[in-house]
Amino acid sequence: MRLPDDASPGSIAHPTAQLLSAHPGAQSTDTGHQPAAGVPDAEQQSAPEQLNPGGFFGDPQSGDDLIAIGPADDPTATPTPTPTAPPSTPDPTTPPTPPAPPATPACSGVRITPEDDAAKVVAGAPAGTTFCFSKGLHRIGSTIAPKTNQVLAGETGSVLTGSVPLTQWAANGGGWVTTGALPPAYGQTGQCEDNVANICYLREQVFLDGEHLTRVASRDKVAVGTFFADYAANAIYLGTDPRKHAVEMSKTGTAIASNAVGVTVRDLTIEHFATPPQGGALQLGPKWRVSGNEIRWNHAVGAMLVNADNAILEKNSIHHNGQLGVGQYSTVNGTITQNEVRGNNTDGFWIADWESGGIKTTWSNGGTVTGNLIKENRGVGLWSDAYDDNRTFSDNTIVDNAADGIRFEIGRNGVIEKNLVTGNGHGTGRGSGKSLWDGGGINVNTSSNVAVRDNVVANNVNGIAIQSRTRGSGPWGVNVLRDITVTGNLITMRGGTTATGMVQNSGAVIPAGEVTLDKNTYRLDSLTSTRFQKTGRWYTARQWQQQGLDTTSTFT
């Protein structure tokens, strides 16, 4: 059903993500990489009381007067197609077919073979040297630290691995054991989905013929496809017979990292590094360009930008890393573009609330996250948290992630535009849920001056969730929700308790006029469904407009 012609919805621009190739959460207590500057999340949240459709706000069938919501005055009438400015995109549920990856360019420079000590070769060459990693498996025993303007490039089939082979196995109580390979026990960092076993932070991964084995918490739980690391005995137990199989354990912490300026890393496969939580297998520095790599099966973060001003992370496939695909911290004008970020958080970090999933940025200023495919990560798809300022998130395709599709939390001056956000937030587990407190396709939490515009938001756990929470103070003073505009979006909500709206707790009341919704298009299962919520009270489309919200929007 439609509004008058002079109140047509904003235009919907279809995302233009450049794709390379081919579960679902709640709210954050984690505030980035700098514990001393963390933000307390003091309140114990609970969803406010939900009123029944025919309760305090009247009967949705009563035909109360409403500003031009549809033909005649009957909210149950068959919708009339909108003749002016319809959204150009039907309900999208899958991303477009990705193009074939580009061919690897030729490399001309100092050749590094699998027999060489790559870190030593790089350290011994002057700034500006180009290195060509030849085809084959390069075992990296210590971190490669490039110098200014050096280039690390791979020939087709060049793989950098942080793992070591495990070959000495003995039968043991129905399983198999090897000794002498483990480091001393680690102190616990991070938070796990399973907060009883609490083993996600342990760094080694074990692979059987390249297949990732699941870590278990005790010897008695070892079964086929799993392993147990006993640090006290310096022993690794397998439930699968390792004879006639290749077994490897990740050992080296980081593949490539330095503070040198202007480094290029391209066309490498980087895998099996025992990265610590919040640490990257590949860590970018200032003005780095990292392009065309496959970064996979590392314990924590695939690629991490840290103090990486003006760095570019582009056209990489970053998948099946143990915690997070891409992280960014304390970076000015970083660019994360045209990457495939898929299937991350394999090692069980807390899905709802602790830095797991696709891409997360914190304490950064300027720059963009644009044109990425962010798919099937066990956590938030794209998360801006803790004092990101003046950031733009645009033209991304964000599909089937376990928690929010996009979460913008404790930031300011943000633009979230032209993204395709579909099928997110349907996971289960500790902290997951279906209320607006738990998030949505797009979730803006305790932030200021944020524009959410021209996005396609379809079939997520909720549509657009605006949350005002008590989040303490930081470098900008008290953290509050202010000046949020939601306009020109196409939002599909057709099942369950899916809603769009606002929630607040008693210590963070939203002042009148601070949240504006207009010129959106809503596709609903029924105009009599209560798909809108404002601070605990539920509304039909007609009642929602009577609250002064979405008065220029279209509801069908």
Side-chain angles (χ1 to χ4, degrees):
M1 309 180 85
R2 59 178 294 271
L3 292 165
D5 291 345
D6 61 355
S8 60
S11 61
I12 306 296
H14 187 74
T16 57
Q18 299 284 328
L19 309 182
L20 297 178
S21 64
H23 286 12
Q27 278 310 314
S28 167
T29 56
D30 147 54
T31 57
H33 290 73
Q34 192 172 19
V39 179
D41 193 4
E43 80 280 13
Q44 185 70 29
Q45 298 288 359
S46 62
E49 180 182 2
Q50 301 176 358
L51 299 186
N52 292 326
F56 183 79
F57 296 97
D59 185 349
Q61 303 286 348
S62 64
D64 296 339
D65 188 32
L66 178 64
I67 302 173
I69 189 172
D73 289 323
D74 182 3
T76 64
T78 301
T80 300
T82 303
T84 58
S88 60
T89 307
D91 265 353
T93 57
T94 57
T97 302
T104 301
C107 181
S108 177
V110 175
R111 188 175 178 83
I112 299 179
T113 71
E115 292 73 32
D116 294 326
D117 182 335
K120 185 175 180 180
V121 173
V122 172
T129 302
T130 293
F131 303 94
C132 303
F133 286 82
S134 62
K135 179 180 179 179
L137 189 67
H138 298 253
R139 295 198 182 276
I140 307 301
S142 56
T143 300
I144 299 169
K147 299 185 178 76
T148 299
N149 295 331
Q150 286 185 339
V151 176
L152 308 181
E155 299 176 355
T156 300
S158 56
V159 178
L160 276 55
T161 181
S163 66
V164 295
L166 302 178
T167 59
Q168 303 299 316
W169 294 95
N172 180 277
W176 300 83
V177 65
T178 189
T179 59
L182 289 171
Y186 302 102
Q188 183 173 344
T189 55
Q191 297 187 45
C192 305
E193 179 71 13
D194 180 351
N195 62 343
V196 176
N198 270 335
I199 57 175
C200 68
Y201 67 94
L202 299 171
R203 299 179 194 177
E204 297 78 31
Q205 295 172 304
V206 177
F207 301 88
L208 181 77
D209 294 335
E211 293 294 321
H212 177 266
L213 301 182
T214 300
R215 184 190 289 268
V216 295
S218 59
R219 171 71 181 87
D220 62 300
K221 289 183 168 56
V222 173
V224 172
T226 70
F227 78 98
F228 168 63
D230 184 339
Y231 293 93
N234 196 354
I236 297 174
Y237 296 89
L238 292 189
T240 304
D241 186 345
R243 294 175 298 180
K244 300 182 180 180
H245 296 280
V247 183
E248 304 210 354
M249 180 194 76
S250 58
K251 183 177 182 180
T252 306
T254 305
I256 301 169
S258 80
N259 294 321
V261 176
V263 172
T264 297
V265 180
R266 61 175 174 84
D267 304 317
L268 293 166
T269 295
I270 299 171
E271 66 178 19
H272 299 184
F273 284 85
T275 45
Q278 298 182 316
L282 171 60
Q283 183 166 301
L284 286 71
K287 296 185 179 179
W288 283 38
R289 181 179 292 270
V290 173
S291 181
N293 304 281
E294 183 176 10
I295 306 172
R296 66 190 187 191
W297 296 111
N298 303 288
H299 172 249
V301 185
M304 188 80 201
L305 291 75
V306 179
N307 299 314
D309 295 355
N310 299 298
I312 299 173
L313 181 72
E314 64 176 0
K315 301 178 182 177
N316 303 280
S317 177
I318 304 172
H319 64 94
H320 292 100
N321 296 284
Q323 176 203 337
L324 188 68
V326 178
Q328 177 175 303
Y329 171 69
S330 189
T331 291
V332 177
N333 293 328
T335 298
I336 300 170
T337 185
Q338 299 182 56
N339 302 282
E340 179 192 77
V341 183
R342 173 176 55 85
N344 296 287
N345 191 17
T346 62
D347 284 5
F349 288 86
W350 191 8
I351 291 171
D353 278 342
W354 197 82
E355 195 156 316
S356 65
I359 298 174
K360 185 172 184 183
T361 78
T362 66
W363 290 85
S364 293
N365 186 280
T368 61
V369 180
T370 182
N372 302 281
L373 171 61
I374 306 170
K375 182 178 181 180
E376 297 173 353
N377 299 284
R378 297 182 69 241
V380 177
L382 171 54
W383 188 353
S384 170
D385 186 19
Y387 308 110
D388 268 1
D389 190 2
N390 193 31
R391 307 270 285 132
T392 296
F393 305 98
S394 66
D395 295 285
N396 300 287
T397 298
I398 303 173
V399 182
D400 294 340
N401 299 283
D404 301 319
I406 298 175
R407 184 184 295 178
F408 194 96
E409 180 176 6
I410 316 180
R412 68 181 183 183
N413 304 324
V415 175
I416 301 169
E417 65 179 0
K418 301 179 183 177
N419 300 283
L420 167 60
V421 185
T422 181
N424 300 283
H426 294 292
T428 59
R430 185 165 66 96
S432 298
K434 296 185 180 302
S435 79
L436 287 178
W437 286 114
D438 301 303
I442 298 176
N443 172 5
V444 179
N445 178 349
T446 320
S447 297
S448 61
N449 191 27
V450 181
V452 181
R453 62 195 184 209
D454 301 329
N455 301 281
V456 175
V457 182
N459 307 319
N460 302 283
V461 65
N462 285 299
I464 296 178
I466 309 298
Q467 302 177 346
S468 181
R469 296 171 178 255
T470 306
R471 301 304 301 270
S473 299
W476 308 326
V478 178
N479 298 307
V480 293
L481 182 86
R482 296 290 187 272
D483 192 17
I484 310 301
T485 60
V486 180
T487 182
N489 302 283
L490 170 60
I491 304 166
T492 299
M493 300 183 293
R494 287 177 169 154
T497 58
T498 303
T500 283
M502 294 165 270
V503 289
Q504 64 186 30
N505 63 17
S506 58
V509 174
I510 305 171
E514 293 293 345
V515 178
T516 300
L517 297 97
D518 62 18
K519 297 184 175 65
N520 299 296
T521 297
Y522 294 94
R523 292 181 172 176
L524 310 175
D525 47 337
S526 168
L527 291 176
T528 62
S529 296
T530 51
R531 293 286 174 214
F532 301 90
Q533 185 182 350
K534 182 181 179 184
T535 60
R537 296 175 176 177
W538 290 78
Y539 302 90
T540 65
R542 180 182 295 275
Q543 294 165 343
W544 183 244
Q545 286 191 317
Q546 288 173 339
Q547 297 297 309
L549 297 162
D550 277 308
T551 58
T552 62
S553 294
T554 298
F555 301 81
T556 65

